[in-house]
Amino acid sequence: CGELCAARDVLEKLMTHPNWHALPALHATAFALQGELLIRQGESERGLALQRSALPTMRADRQTIQLARASCALAEGLAAAGQLNEALTVIRSAIVETEAGSEISQLPELLRVHADILLSMPSADEALAETVIMRALAEARRQCSLAWELRAAMTLARLRGNQGRAQEGRDSVSSIFARFTEGFDTPDLRAAGRLLGAP
């Protein structure tokens, strides 16, 4: 929810815990989370290196729940660093892995990130991005995941803005935003509020 300092402190407590060495299955997951934090704090090179090294170990250790999240974070980090082709490869592989497994809670977010990367490409395939984002919205609704639905709607609003249909995009966000009853100080809801011109 954007509290990066608190997340860093909790992760540090885990990694310095006296029993840390007795929990080797958690090491790669912790390194992936540490990489994500570094990227979000502006240390992209270090963060990407940590994530790239952690993901194969997580895959080998069958850390499936956190693997989808880590893959998503890696793809977003790569995209932010301008490495769009690698970002597409990572996110597409993560979607295939998620669909083949039993853990699909991250699927709406994986699809949203896929659409976001598609829209960032020099020759953006808006038709494909729209198909992917509509699937993300449908999956978020199927899971009753309001947070994933809002994120997907924000990406749809970006697409609608590119298409000259900005009001339609804002309307989509507004209908989802209105269903929230808490969390208004989180980054996602603040971004949605800015888009909607909320006070």
Side-chain angles (χ1 to χ4, degrees):
C1 61
E3 297 180 21
L4 301 183
C5 291
R8 185 193 62 223
D9 291 346
V10 170
L11 188 57
E12 189 175 310
K13 284 179 185 174
L14 170 67
M15 296 175 80
T16 56
H17 192 277
N19 292 331
W20 170 247
H21 296 293
L23 303 168
L26 294 179
H27 292 188
T29 300
F31 290 133
L33 289 169
Q34 190 176 46
E36 181 180 351
L37 277 171
L38 286 168
I39 290 168
R40 291 180 189 271
Q41 292 174 322
E43 295 187 53
S44 296
E45 197 171 311
R46 283 182 57 210
L48 289 172
L50 266 175
Q51 287 185 313
R52 281 185 176 118
S53 65
L55 260 67
T57 304
M58 291 174 71
R59 196 169 280 113
D61 290 345
R62 299 176 190 259
Q63 298 286 326
T64 54
I65 294 173
Q66 289 300 319
L67 179 61
R69 177 194 166 83
S71 297
C72 196
L74 174 59
E76 285 188 298
L78 289 165
Q83 299 172 41
L84 296 172
N85 289 326
E86 187 179 353
L88 270 180
T89 299
V90 168
I91 202 68
R92 286 175 172 159
S93 294
I95 290 168
V96 168
E97 286 177 335
T98 300
E99 290 174 328
S102 58
E103 179 49 58
I104 61 164
S105 65
Q106 295 284 324
L107 185 56
E109 180 67 351
L110 291 167
L111 292 166
R112 183 201 67 80
V113 170
H114 185 200
D116 213 35
I117 295 167
L118 288 169
L119 291 173
S120 299
M121 299 296 285
S123 299
D125 185 342
E126 289 189 354
L128 177 57
E130 183 165 354
T131 299
V132 173
I133 200 61
M134 296 309 257
R135 186 172 168 221
L137 280 164
E139 184 63 28
R141 288 179 187 128
R142 190 188 70 72
Q143 293 185 15
C144 299
S145 177
L146 194 56
W148 286 157
E149 192 177 348
L150 179 66
R151 282 189 170 193
M154 292 290 287
T155 297
L156 179 61
R158 175 183 169 199
L159 172 60
R160 292 294 182 245
N162 294 349
Q163 296 170 332
R165 299 158 61 187
Q167 187 57 51
E168 187 181 330
R170 283 193 294 274
D171 289 346
S172 296
V173 172
S174 180
S175 67
I176 298 165
F177 186 80
R179 292 162 42 207
F180 279 87
T181 58
E182 61 185 356
F184 294 101
D185 59 341
T186 60
D188 287 343
L189 287 175
R190 285 199 309 264
R194 284 192 300 273
L195 177 72
L196 299 172

